[in-house]
């Protein structure tokens, strides 16, 4: 009997060690990828080891940790779905015994813990630490900046707890709720994270429809469009005349000093725009026939198919919500995995759901940076400040943490939320969930209709030849415009 107990304890010990090793390896890969991404966009600084360099390095490590947690939150639901299907297909396989319910639940709990840690502690610390200079009258140095940062964090924590306390007291006036107001760990933090989750869901609701329509434009910029009723040689000739005219004006202003510095800067900016347009036209001319006539339509068709499937799934989920209460998103505490398939068509539907989740996440990020409010956070290669990187990491963390909740709320998947992700208070409110689905379907449809009608107008203008004198809405000055028009007449 004692030997059996020892054997069970040894098995539990080895299982826990194996889970810790797997979690560490997965997070290490995410951390390395996140570090490469951030260093690609971070502004290059001198190698001098001073106080600001140490502060920037610490903030860089904290941002890398936060971005790795964001990547883990994005992969949570796809990893859980594919693990469930693998265990269903190979239930007795020795080599996948490490893939079990305990590991999946542990990953969900770790992501929830790390998301709270990054959102409420690490990112505020990184920002205040970066902006701190030490208290007036104190000795300058790292210790003084750390002390000021902790004081600011303490005051911020008091402010947030006070706001949550007042809000919860105004919303719930019953005796049980009043008693829970003094419970920090079991009430404050889950309630606060539930509010942050709702804000993240609303941010996704605002960014994803915009991103879904914006994805067609982004892919159109990356790929070469088919040449339909267009004369690329004529356009290249016109844009070359514009470039030569701007170059002569710039050389004349430099030699005679008759123009102000602001005028020269404007001419340089216009010249860069015209050169970029010429390079794009040259790339379109050199592209192969299959790239222009086959790749572009296929990619556009894939984007349209994914968007249509997403909207149809949301519409079906609205019907399910109206007729079946089990369609409501809920959490699960069942540690069993691989018992039943949550997809009607098995592995094929699971793969489609995973593709749609990644597509929605990419669309939400594209939509986020397309909004005018957040344009200032757009990262630039080798020219992004640490403050902007902190803002980007916080934004992506909020979006990625809300992605599993949004995917389940919209009915993209039927996989129940695990851990603290399924304990959000607003998930049980039928009217909030139904309104969320309706808004997503309506706003996405309106954005797509507006996008495709504008594209049709542009193609009609191109077919009629009304856009040849104004290429790609480029800013031109009167002299270059006249020369381009004269060149166009000579060509005719």
């Amino acid at each position: 009997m004692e030997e059996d107990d020892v054997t069970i304890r040894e098995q539990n010990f080895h299982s826990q060690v194996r889970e810790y090793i797997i979690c560490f390896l997965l997070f290490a890969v995410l951390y390395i990828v996140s570090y490469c991404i951030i260093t690609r966009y971070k502004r290059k600084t001198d190698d001098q080891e001073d106080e600001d360099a140490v502060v920037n390095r610490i903030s860089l490590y904290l941002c890398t940790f936060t971005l790795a947690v964001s990547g883990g939150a994005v992969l949570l639901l796809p990893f859980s779905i594919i693990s469930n299907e693998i265990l269903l297909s190979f239930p007795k396989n020795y080599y996948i015994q490490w893939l079990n319910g305990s590991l999946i639940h542990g990953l969900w709990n770790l992501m929830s813990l790390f998301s709270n840690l990054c959102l409420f502690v690490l990112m505020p610390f990184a920002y205040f630490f970066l902006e701190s200079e030490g208290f007036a009258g104190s000795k300058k140095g790292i210790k003084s900046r750390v002390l000021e940062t902790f004081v600011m964090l303490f005051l911020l924590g008091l402010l947030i707890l006070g706001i949550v306390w007042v809000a919860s007291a105004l919303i719930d006036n019953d005796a049980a709720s009043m008693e829970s107001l003094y419970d920090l760990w079991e009430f404050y933090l889950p309630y606060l994270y539930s509010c942050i989750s709702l804000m993240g869901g609303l941010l996704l609701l605002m960014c994803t429809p915009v991103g879904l329509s914006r994805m067609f434009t982004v892919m159109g910029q990356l790929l070469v469009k088919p040449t339909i009723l267009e004369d690329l040689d004529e356009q290249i000739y016109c844009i070359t005349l514009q470039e030569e005219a701007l170059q002569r004006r710039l050389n004349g202003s430099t030699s005679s000093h008759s123009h102000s510095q602001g005028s020269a800067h404007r001419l340089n900016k216009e010249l860069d725009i015209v050169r970029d347009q010429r390079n794009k036209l040259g790339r379109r001319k050199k592209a192969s026939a299959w790239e222009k006539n086959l790749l572009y339509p296929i990619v556009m068709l894939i984007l349209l198919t994914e968007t249509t499937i997403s909207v149809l799934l949301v519409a079906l989920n609205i019907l399910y919500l109206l007729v079946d209460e089990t369609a409501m998103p809920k959490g699960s505490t069942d540690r069993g995995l691989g018992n039943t398939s949550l997809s009607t068509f098995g592995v094929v539907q699971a793969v489609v759901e995973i593709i749609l989740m990644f597509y929605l996440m990419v669309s939400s990020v594209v939509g986020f940076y397309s909004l005018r409010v957040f344009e200032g956070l757009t990262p630039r290669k080798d020219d992004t400040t640490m403050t902007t990187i902190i803002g980007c990491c916080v934004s992506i963390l909020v979006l990625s943490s809300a992605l599993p909740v949004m995917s389940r709320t919209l009915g993209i998947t039927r996989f129940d939320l695990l851990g603290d992700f399924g304990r959000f208070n607003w998930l049980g409110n039928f009217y909030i969930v139904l309104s969320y689905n309706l808004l997503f379907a309506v706003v996405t449809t309106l954005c797509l209709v507006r996008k495709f009608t504008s594209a049709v107008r542009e193609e009609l203008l191109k077919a009629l030849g009304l856009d040849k004198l104004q290429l790609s809405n480029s800013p031109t000055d009167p002299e270059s415009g006249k020369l381009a028009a004269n060149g166009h007449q000579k060509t005719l």
Side-chain angles (χ1 to χ4, degrees), residues 377-418:
L377 292 177
T378 305
R380 295 178 297 274
K381 183 181 177 181
D382 297 333
D383 192 28
T384 307
T385 62
M386 278 306 304
T387 305
T388 305
I389 291 177
I390 291 173
C392 291
C393 290
V394 171
S395 304
I396 294 176
L397 177 63
V398 173
L399 291 174
S400 59
S401 299
L403 180 67
V405 182
M406 186 191 76
S407 301
R408 181 63 183 90
T409 303
L410 295 177
I412 303 298
T413 180
R414 295 295 172 186
F415 195 93
D416 290 331
L417 301 172
L418 304 178

Side-chain angles (χ1 to χ4, degrees), residues 279-297:
N279 293 332
K280 289 181 180 179
L281 290 173
R283 179 172 176 265
R284 291 183 62 187
K285 184 179 179 180
K286 294 178 182 179
S288 60
W290 74 271
E291 185 179 359
K292 290 188 292 186
N293 302 323
L294 187 62
L295 182 60
Y296 181 84

Side-chain angles (χ1 to χ4, degrees), residues 340-390:
T340 57
S341 178
L342 299 174
S343 304
T344 307
F345 299 101
V347 179
V348 176
Q349 184 176 345
V351 172
V352 172
E353 291 175 355
I354 292 173
I355 293 174
L356 290 179
M357 290 177 201
F358 286 123
Y359 179 58
L360 291 178
M361 184 60 200
V362 174
S363 301
S364 65
V365 174
V366 172
F368 176 81
Y369 289 115
S370 300
L371 296 175
R372 293 184 179 179
V373 182
F374 305 110
E375 281 183 351
L377 292 177
T378 305
R380 295 178 297 274
K381 183 181 177 181
D382 297 333
D383 192 28
T384 307
T385 62
M386 278 306 304
T387 305
T388 305
I389 291 177
I390 291 173

Side-chain angles (χ1 to χ4, degrees), residues 204-219 300 303-311 314 356-368 370 406 410 412 440-441 443-445 447-449 451-452:
L204 276 175
L205 181 62
M206 181 173 56
C207 297
T208 307
V210 177
L212 289 175
S213 61
R214 178 69 178 167
M215 284 292 290
F216 294 92
T217 304
V218 173
M219 296 308 298
M300 291 295 115
L303 292 179
L304 183 61
T305 303
E306 291 178 342
T307 306
T308 305
I309 292 176
S310 302
V311 176
V314 175
L356 290 179
M357 290 177 201
F358 286 123
Y359 179 58
L360 291 178
M361 184 60 200
V362 174
S363 301
S364 65
V365 174
V366 172
F368 176 81
S370 300
M406 186 191 76
L410 295 177
I412 303 298
F440 182 86
V443 175
T444 303
T445 304
C447 289
L448 291 176
V449 169
K451 172 65 181 177
F452 285 112

Side-chain angles (χ1 to χ4, degrees), residues 100-208:
N100 50 41
S102 178
L103 173 64
I104 301 301
H105 276 264
L107 289 174
W108 281 76
N109 291 329
L110 281 177
M111 287 300 105
S112 177
L113 175 63
F114 287 162
S115 297
N116 283 282
L117 180 65
C118 294
L119 194 59
F120 299 123
V121 179
L122 297 185
M123 285 295 94
F125 177 85
Y127 177 76
F128 289 132
F129 192 42
L130 196 65
E131 298 294 329
S132 64
E133 297 179 356
F135 291 110
S138 62
K139 184 179 179 180
K140 300 297 182 182
I142 298 295
K143 292 184 179 180
S144 177
R145 298 180 72 162
V146 170
L147 178 61
E148 180 185 354
T149 303
F150 277 114
V151 171
M152 293 298 296
L153 281 178
F154 177 74
L155 295 176
L156 178 64
L158 288 181
L159 177 63
I160 293 177
L161 288 179
I163 293 175
V164 174
W165 194 90
V166 173
S168 57
L170 292 175
I171 294 174
D172 297 325
N173 292 323
D174 57 313
S177 299
M178 296 300 293
E179 291 180 1
S180 64
L181 290 176
Y182 303 97
D183 192 347
L184 177 65
W185 186 259
E186 294 295 332
F187 175 76
Y188 269 116
L189 294 182
Y191 184 81
L192 182 59
Y193 192 59
S194 179
C195 295
I196 297 297
S197 166
L198 181 59
M199 292 175 58
L202 294 176
L203 185 61
L204 276 175
L205 181 62
M206 181 173 56
C207 297
T208 307

